[in-house]
Amino acid sequence: MILSMRWLSEFVDLEPQMPIRDFTEAMTMTGSKVEGFEIEGSEIKNVVVGKVTAMERHPDSDHMFICMVDAGEEEPLQIVTGAQNVTVGSWVPVAKHKSTLPGGVEIKKGKLRGVASNGMLCSLKELGLTINDFPYAIEDGIFLLEEEGLFPGQDIHEAIGLNDTCVEFEITSNRPDCLSVLGLAREASATFGKPLKQPHPQVKGSGGSIGDYLKVTVSNPVICQRYMARVVNNVKIGPSPRWMRERLRASGVRPINNLVDITNYVMLEYGQPMHAFDLRYVKDNHIQIRNAAEGEAITTLDGVERKLSTDMLVIADGEKPTAVAGVMGGEYSGIHDGTSTVVFESACFQGASVRLTAKKLGMRTEASSRYEKGLDPNTCSLALERACELVEILGAGEVVDGVIDCNNDSRQPIRLPLDSDKINHFLGIDISAEQMKEILKGLEFTIDGDDVIAPSFRGDIQYRADVAEEIARIYGYNNIPTTKLRGAAEAKITPYQAFEKRVNTVLLAQGLSEISTYSFISPKYYDKIRLPADSPLRRSVTITNPLGEDTSVMRTTTIPSVLEVLSRNFNNRNESAWMYEVANEYIPTTDGELPVEKQAVTIGMYGNKVDFYRLKGIVETLLDALNITSWEIRPEKNLPTYHPGRCGVLSIDGEDIGVIAQAHPKVAENYGINTEVYLAVLEMNPMFAHRAADRQYRPLPKFPAITRDLALLCDDELPVVEIEKCIRKGCGNHLEKVELFDVYRGSQIEEGKKSVAYTVTLRSSDHTLTDQDADSAMNKSLKALNEIGVVLRT
C-alpha cells in the first residue's frame, strides 16, 4: 500500500515539521511496517518555471528556434529548442545548466549548430510524466504549463504538484482495513495521539427514484454478503481535477477520466473496491448476482475471453455475465463514449470465493487482492456515498435519489472481556485499566462496562490475546520491560554438546575440513571396504522406501562414506585432502526395535605430507585437548579394511574405542585412489566417558630431577608400549617422563631381536630424590621387564 502524505493530512494533523523518518519509524513500531518512502520528483533538480519572452529561427536550421526565456534570473536564458508547439508567452519547464532529470539525465549548457543553449525546455516524458497526469498537454512536444499562480523561477515541483511524499507499507493479510488511506490514518491517529477526522460524505441528490432505473437480485447471499448500488444520470465524462490526479499518481494509480478516477480514488481512500456500469449495457436494467452457468464465458475489461465454472460468482444482467464478482468487470461494463447513465456498485464478497475465482482465472487485480483478505460489509455504504459525493463535487453527473441495499451480513460484533490484571500479567507491564481503555478508544474500539467491542472493520480481533496485542503495540514494545520466561530453563549446551563442539574445534584447528554425508548407503559399499561375508557389520537396517539401490540401507560404519568423499576429491585432482565427519552409525537390534545409534568421528586423509605418524599425531592432539590421558595403541594385523603393517587399535583403560591405520591398498584401489589413504575412526561416547572433567593444575617443580638411560634388548615383535608400561609400573609416582630415543636392529643384535633405548626422568614433589631412590626405581622396572622377556643390554 502506497500512502500519499498529503492525502493523509486530510484525516490526521501531524506535526508540520515531523521528519519523514520519524513518521515511518513510529508507524513501524506500532505494527504498520514501512518498506520505504520516496519524495516525488526527487530525481528532478534545478528545473524551474520559465516564460518564453522572444523567439527567432535558428540561422543554420529549418526546424530549430532560439528562445529567450525568463527563468527568474537577472538576464533571460537563451535556449535552443526544436519543439514546434512553443510560442512567445508560453510557460515552460526549464532545465537549467547542471540540472538532472529522471533516469540520471544531466543537462549542461552547450552549443547547438554554433548557437549557445543554456539549458533545455522539457517535455512530459522528460519529467517522468504522462498525458494522463496532465490531460491538457501533448505527448510530442514541450510541456506547456497551464497551472494557476505560475511565476518565473518557480520550482517545477511546486508548480505542478510533484512534491508529495509517498510511503510504502507492507500490509499483512489479517489487516485489510489498512489497505486504505483511512485505515492508515486510524493507525497514525493512534500512534501519534492525534484526533482522527472522520469522513461523513454528504450527497444532495437530484430527485427521481432509483427504482425507475434499476433492479438488483442476489441469488447467492452466502458469497455476496452485501450489494449496494446508486444511479448517476446525465454523466459528463472528462479529466479529473489536478488534486485528484496528483493523489492517484502518488498512490501508483494512473488517472483515466473523472468517473473511473472516482472509483479508484474511493478504493484507495476507503479500501472498498468500486465499479461503475454503463446502464445502457445492463439488459432489462436488472442486475443479478448469481453463480455462473455451466459453459458460460465472459470477455473481461482486458479483452480476454475467460471460461467460467459454476462455483464462480458473477454479476449479470438479464441474459449474460457483465462482471466477475470481486475480480474484474466485463468489456461492456465500463465507461464508454456516449455513456450518460451509470450505476455505481459497492459490494462485499466472501474472500475465499474471490481468491479461488481469481486463481482459477489466472487474474489478480487491485479489487481481488482486497476482497480475498476479507472486507467489512459496513464500509460499502460509506464508500458508495463518498463516490456519489465526488460525482457532485466534480460536476460529473446528477445523483438519482435512493439506494439499493441487499444486506446479507449476519455477523455479530466481537465482544471480549477487558481484564486489566490479566493483560498486565500477560504482557509483563503495569498500566491502569483507564489507560488501556484510552488506547482502545483511539483504535475505535467500544468500551461497554468491563467488555470491549471490536469495530466491524477489525476482523482480526477474535480473542483476548488480540486485545492485549493492540494495547501492547500502541503502548510501545520498547516500553515493555525485559523479563525472563517464567518456568523456562535457561538455554545452555549440554556437557556432551560442549564435548562435540570441542572435537570439531580441535580438528578444524589442525587443518581438517568437516564433511557431511548421507546416513544411508548401498550394501555394495561393504564389498568395497573388504568386509568378510560373516562380518556383523554387514547386518544393516533396510529402508522400506529407499531413494534408490545406492541408498537402501543404513550404514553400520562411516568408512565407506568418508572414502567416497576422498575418492571424489582425488578424481577431481585435488593434491591432498584432510577431512573428518562426526556422524552416526546404525547398529540393528532385535526385530521391531529401533537401531542403536553410535556416534563416531571419522578422519580420512591423503597427500604428500600424510603418513601414519601424521594421522597418529592428529589423534594424539585431539585426545590431549579432550583431557583423555590413559590411552594406548596396539598393532593389529587382522582387520581386512586396513593395511596389516600400519594399523593400530586405540584403547582407553582396556576398552577399544577406535582404529588408526592406512587403508588397505585394495580398498584404495576399489575407490579409484592411486595413493596411500589413512583413516581413523574413534567412538564418541567412550571418549566422552573417559575424559577427565577438569585439567589438574600442577605447580612448577621445586626439586631437581634425576635421569637414567636404559638400553634394553627384546623380541622384535614386542610393542614398545608394553615396555613403557613396565617402566611406569616400576617407577611409580616418581616417574615424570619416559622417552624412547633409539631403536636399533643390526649385526650386533641377534636376528629376531631389537635394541630400544629410553630416557627416564624421575622427580618428587616434596623432596630431592637420591641415587638410592633412582636405583630402586630402575631395579623394579627391570624386574617387571624381565617378566615379559626384556633384559638390560650389555
Side-chain angles (χ1 to χ4, degrees), residues 124-152:
L124 278 172
K125 184 177 181 180
E126 288 161 340
L127 294 175
L129 303 170
T130 68
I131 194 72
N132 300 97
D133 299 309
F134 292 92
Y136 61 77
I138 61 173
E139 290 185 304
D140 298 325
I142 299 301
F143 179 18
L144 303 184
L145 301 170
E146 297 181 8
E147 308 301 313
E148 297 181 358
L150 299 175
F151 59 88

Side-chain angles (χ1 to χ4, degrees), residues 544-566:
T544 304
N545 55 340
L547 298 175
E549 184 180 353
D550 290 342
T551 54
S552 60
V553 299
M554 303 298 290
R555 65 188 174 196
T556 57
T557 172
T558 53
I559 291 295
S561 301
V562 173
L563 284 171
E564 284 289 331
V565 178
L566 291 175

Side-chain angles (χ1 to χ4, degrees), residues 47 101 132 137 246 293 308 375 410 414 460 535 589 599 602 637 757:
V47 179
L101 297 174
N132 300 97
E246 285 180 3
L308 304 175
L375 298 183
S410 59
I414 300 297
D460 59 311
S535 172
T589 57
Q599 195 171 42
T602 307
K637 297 182 179 181

Side-chain angles (χ1 to χ4, degrees), residues 1-2 7 40 130 132-133 166 244-257 260-269 366 370:
M1 174 68 190
I2 300 176
W7 199 344
E40 276 191 313
T130 68
N132 300 97
D133 299 309
C166 310
M244 180 175 282
R245 299 197 309 270
E246 285 180 3
R247 293 183 181 182
L248 291 174
R249 181 183 65 219
S251 302
V253 176
R254 178 170 59 93
I256 298 175
N257 59 52
V260 175
D261 291 350
I262 285 172
T263 60
N264 288 331
Y265 189 91
V266 173
M267 180 181 68
L268 293 171
E269 189 171 45
E366 282 287 338
R370 285 169 163 78

Side-chain angles (χ1 to χ4, degrees), residues 502-513 578 580 603 605 614-625:
R502 182 66 173 159
V503 170
N504 281 280
T505 301
V506 173
L507 292 178
L508 289 171
Q510 295 186 81
L512 281 79
S513 299
W578 297 22
Y580 81 94
I603 300 172
M605 307 172 67
R614 170 78 68 178
L615 177 61
K616 180 172 176 287
I618 290 173
V619 173
E620 288 177 349
T621 302
L622 174 63
L623 295 172
D624 181 66

Side-chain angles (χ1 to χ4, degrees), residues 428-689:
I429 60 177
D430 185 16
I431 62 176
S432 66
E434 289 303 316
Q435 190 173 352
M436 292 182 186
K437 291 178 181 179
E438 288 303 314
I439 290 174
L440 294 173
K441 287 178 182 177
L443 293 168
E444 298 192 30
F445 284 71
T446 302
I447 307 299
D448 184 10
D450 294 329
D451 291 342
V452 59
I453 301 173
S456 62
F457 55 82
R458 290 300 304 274
D460 59 311
I461 305 297
Q462 297 292 329
Y463 308 101
R464 287 190 296 182
D466 297 327
V467 177
E469 181 185 2
E470 296 300 297
I471 293 170
R473 68 187 183 88
I474 302 302
Y475 175 72
Y477 294 118
N478 54 327
N479 295 323
I480 299 176
T482 302
T483 57
K484 292 183 179 179
L485 291 174
R486 290 181 291 273
E490 292 186 12
K492 60 181 181 181
I493 61 175
T494 64
Y496 185 83
Q497 288 172 329
F499 175 80
E500 185 177 348
K501 184 177 180 181
R502 182 66 173 159
V503 170
N504 281 280
T505 301
V506 173
L507 292 178
L508 289 171
Q510 295 186 81
L512 281 79
S513 299
E514 185 178 12
I515 62 175
S516 180
T517 60
Y518 289 118
S519 297
F520 27 86
I521 61 173
S522 168
K524 297 178 181 178
Y525 284 9
Y526 297 139
D527 296 329
K528 295 179 73 173
I529 64 171
R530 304 180 73 239
L531 280 185
D534 59 348
S535 172
L537 293 180
R538 284 184 175 271
R539 181 170 171 263
S540 307
V541 176
T542 303
I543 301 174
T544 304
N545 55 340
L547 298 175
E549 184 180 353
D550 290 342
T551 54
S552 60
V553 299
M554 303 298 290
R555 65 188 174 196
T556 57
T557 172
T558 53
I559 291 295
S561 301
V562 173
L563 284 171
E564 284 289 331
V565 178
L566 291 175
S567 173
R568 194 175 304 118
N569 278 267
F570 183 81
N571 291 320
N572 281 313
R573 299 184 179 181
N574 287 338
E575 294 183 357
S576 64
W578 297 22
M579 300 178 179
Y580 81 94
E581 180 180 20
V582 178
N584 285 349
E585 299 172 337
Y586 300 86
I587 310 302
T589 57
T590 57
D591 292 340
E593 294 187 12
L594 293 175
V596 176
E597 298 184 28
K598 294 170 57 179
Q599 195 171 42
V601 55
T602 307
I603 300 172
M605 307 172 67
Y606 72 80
N608 294 331
K609 296 182 179 180
V610 177
D611 57 21
F612 180 86
Y613 297 103
R614 170 78 68 178
L615 177 61
K616 180 172 176 287
I618 290 173
V619 173
E620 288 177 349
T621 302
L622 174 63
L623 295 172
D624 181 66
L626 298 176
N627 209 14
I628 299 173
T629 55
S630 56
W631 55 270
E632 297 175 359
I633 297 179
R634 71 173 189 274
E636 178 59 61
K637 297 182 179 181
N638 299 317
L639 296 178
T641 301
Y642 307 109
H643 192 295
R646 297 174 186 171
C647 176
V649 174
L650 181 69
S651 63
I652 302 176
D653 293 337
E655 179 185 359
D656 293 346
I657 64 127
V659 177
I660 304 172
Q662 178 187 338
H664 196 286
K666 290 186 178 180
V667 171
E669 182 181 344
N670 290 340
Y671 283 91
I673 305 176
N674 189 24
T675 188
E676 294 180 354
V677 180
Y678 290 89
L679 302 167
V681 183
L682 308 173
E683 293 184 28
M684 292 285 285
N685 285 330
M687 288 197 297
F688 177 73

